[in-house]
Amino acid sequence: MAQQHAADGAEPHVAGWTDILGGWAERHPRALVRLGNWETRLLEDRIRDRPIRGPIYIAGLARSGSTILLELLSRHPDLATHRYRDFPLVLTPWIWNWFVDRAATRPQAPRERAHRDRIAVTAESPEAFEEVVWMTFFRHLHDPAANAVLDDVDNPAFEAFYRDHIRKMLLIRGGTRYIAKGNYNVTRLPYLLKLFPDARFIVPIRDPVWHIASLMKQHALFCREERRNPRILRHMRRSGHFEFGLDRRATHVGDSEATARIERLWRNGREVAGWAEHWRLVYDHLARTLEDRPDLRAATVIVRYEDLCARPAEVLAGILARCGLAPHDLPAEAQANVAPPAYYEPSFTAEERGLIREITGDAARRFGYETPGPDDRLPAASPDAA
């Protein structure tokens, strides 16, 4: 977002009380599930008849534009989403928000988030915390040795808790439709469609050279900051963010050999090849899934980040229409605020760019990215993405 700038030199920060309470929540997930179910019974008269209609899911690899999309769409008056204030007791949102409302002492000044991508946030900013619920009921999801794909599965305890959780979020935020950003939901689209046949899925994607450059930039940043401050590493684990940093993990989409190869490349310091293989693996899985499921394909909007930056009003208007949402002023806001900041440029060698194109080429072409020739010149400035 072009207008969201924080003070230069802001350091990533995790409050001590957040770290302590987050540690307790991590150690006692069953207690929090029981407390969440008690909360549901307490609110039964207020949420029982609240419909879950057309939930919207933003899913895809980090640094593809998912945060920008969430920032814009969360401003829609019909939509309700998680906010920074919901962590760490994500499983008991009503109780926790009741406490936060009474414990807050003064307005919070915007602060640049840990990614240092010029996006400033407060406790009221939208954020991706739904993963905490998934990790509580599916303990294997972030094990690189275990298949994380959820399609034809049944988990009645999760499904009941999750539906009630969404109803509580609608109650707390005063919305009529739920929206969630979750990078890892890209491995669960069939399951989500099974739970909510009228769901809509927004999947951002980005040119792999620029996408991998952004991922590598964030990985180096988080590794450095997590070594400096272990609270940040613990926070990333507890909130379900394993995309980069010291606990980076490859996403297993059913190909154990490919996942093991990515992990091995990263361990051996072959960062570019590892990231390129990971990009190919995830988006190839997405393409195959959409090809196999016409119903899922009809419910999914692919958003190329380059298109969003070039024609923000048009692209956002199309997303809103596909999701059955009135535009309000959001296309105009997108036009005014989405721009390609020019504060970094990939430093890949010609050989590294060629390697990325070679590994990702087939998958990228499935989403309309043409593989350039040997003279692969990129623009002097390209947008970063959140």
Side-chain angles (χ1 to χ4, degrees):
M1 306 293 292
Q3 89 286 6
Q4 293 181 311
H5 295 271
D8 292 339
E11 294 294 331
H13 175 73
V14 176
W17 68 264
T18 303
D19 185 48
I20 294 170
L21 192 54
W24 181 88
E26 183 181 33
R27 294 189 300 273
H28 300 93
R30 292 182 181 180
L32 279 171
V33 170
R34 289 195 295 270
L35 187 58
N37 287 329
W38 175 83
E39 178 185 75
T40 297
R41 292 191 294 272
L42 181 69
L43 299 170
E44 183 176 4
D45 289 344
R46 301 175 67 182
I47 67 173
R48 179 177 52 214
D49 298 326
R50 191 174 294 267
I52 302 175
R53 180 172 56 86
I56 300 169
Y57 293 92
I58 302 172
L61 284 181
R63 313 307 300 166
S64 59
S66 55
T67 296
I68 291 174
L69 289 168
L70 180 65
E71 286 270 352
L72 287 167
L73 291 170
S74 68
R75 300 178 188 182
H76 195 285
D78 293 345
L79 298 183
T81 190
H82 289 96
R83 299 178 184 173
Y84 278 87
R85 63 162 26 222
D86 296 323
F87 190 83
L89 300 191
V90 178
L91 300 183
T92 56
W94 189 84
I95 294 172
W96 180 241
N97 274 268
W98 181 91
F99 171 77
V100 170
D101 286 341
R102 286 152 182 79
T105 56
R106 55 188 172 83
Q108 186 184 60
R111 182 186 183 95
E112 187 176 33
R113 65 182 191 150
H115 303 69
R116 292 188 181 177
D117 53 6
R118 303 184 183 184
I119 293 180
V121 297
T122 71
E124 303 304 325
S125 298
E127 177 56 322
F129 284 132
E130 188 188 84
E131 193 65 18
V132 176
V133 184
W134 291 89
M135 292 192 304
T136 301
F137 288 89
F138 297 92
R139 306 297 287 179
H140 71 286
L141 289 179
H142 299 292
D143 179 355
N147 189 351
V149 174
L150 301 178
D151 41 32
D152 190 22
V153 298
D154 290 298
N155 189 328
F158 163 76
E159 293 165 17
F161 189 95
Y162 184 51
R163 286 189 173 97
D164 287 333
H165 182 81
I166 292 176
R167 292 186 181 99
K168 284 184 276 191
M169 295 305 301
L170 294 173
L171 171 66
I172 294 165
R173 300 280 126 88
T176 59
R177 293 179 65 183
Y178 176 69
I179 182 170
K181 170 194 159 189
N183 297 329
Y184 298 105
N185 279 337
V186 74
T187 64
R188 307 162 194 159
L189 302 185
Y191 186 39
L192 285 166
L193 191 64
K194 174 184 172 182
L195 297 181
F196 308 111
D198 60 349
R200 291 294 178 265
F201 306 102
I202 303 169
V203 182
I205 188 170
R206 190 178 184 188
D207 179 279
V209 168
W210 292 94
H211 198 168
I212 290 166
S214 184
L215 285 163
M216 290 179 64
K217 177 174 176 281
Q218 289 299 311
H219 179 63
L221 169 64
F222 273 83
C223 284
R224 182 172 66 251
E225 296 299 336
E226 287 167 1
R227 290 189 184 99
R228 182 187 63 82
N229 184 355
R231 286 182 187 174
I232 298 173
L233 175 58
R234 293 193 292 267
H235 176 81
M236 294 286 281
R237 286 171 174 164
R238 292 163 183 168
S239 57
H241 287 292
F242 301 95
E243 298 93 339
F244 30 69
L246 297 178
D247 199 13
R248 172 182 58 180
R249 305 179 191 182
T251 303
H252 194 311
V253 296
D255 188 336
S256 297
E257 182 178 343
T259 307
R261 182 170 62 252
I262 293 165
E263 293 279 327
R264 187 166 57 249
L265 287 167
W266 282 339
R267 281 196 306 272
N268 293 336
R270 298 184 61 191
E271 289 288 312
V272 174
W275 282 113
E277 291 281 4
H278 195 236
W279 194 99
R280 178 199 64 78
L281 186 69
V282 170
Y283 284 109
D284 208 39
H285 165 76
L286 172 66
R288 291 196 311 272
T289 302
L290 295 180
E291 288 168 1
D292 293 342
R293 292 285 304 270
D295 56 341
L296 184 59
R297 186 166 65 248
T300 301
V301 183
I302 302 295
V303 180
R304 299 202 315 175
Y305 182 66
E306 297 77 15
D307 297 335
L308 178 62
C309 284
R311 306 185 307 279
E314 176 187 338
V315 170
L316 193 67
I319 293 171
L320 292 165
R322 288 288 299 276
C323 293
L325 291 166
H328 291 278
D329 296 325
L330 295 187
E333 287 191 34
Q335 190 67 43
N337 295 321
V338 176
Y343 60 90
Y344 90 101
E345 184 175 350
S347 58
F348 296 131
T349 65
E351 290 76 15
E352 288 170 334
R353 291 186 182 190
L355 179 63
I356 292 171
R357 297 298 187 192
E358 178 183 356
I359 292 172
T360 64
D362 288 344
R365 279 190 289 273
R366 299 172 90 162
F367 294 95
Y369 289 101
E370 296 299 326
T371 303
D375 187 16
D376 183 10
R377 290 196 180 94
L378 296 174
S382 175
D384 194 12

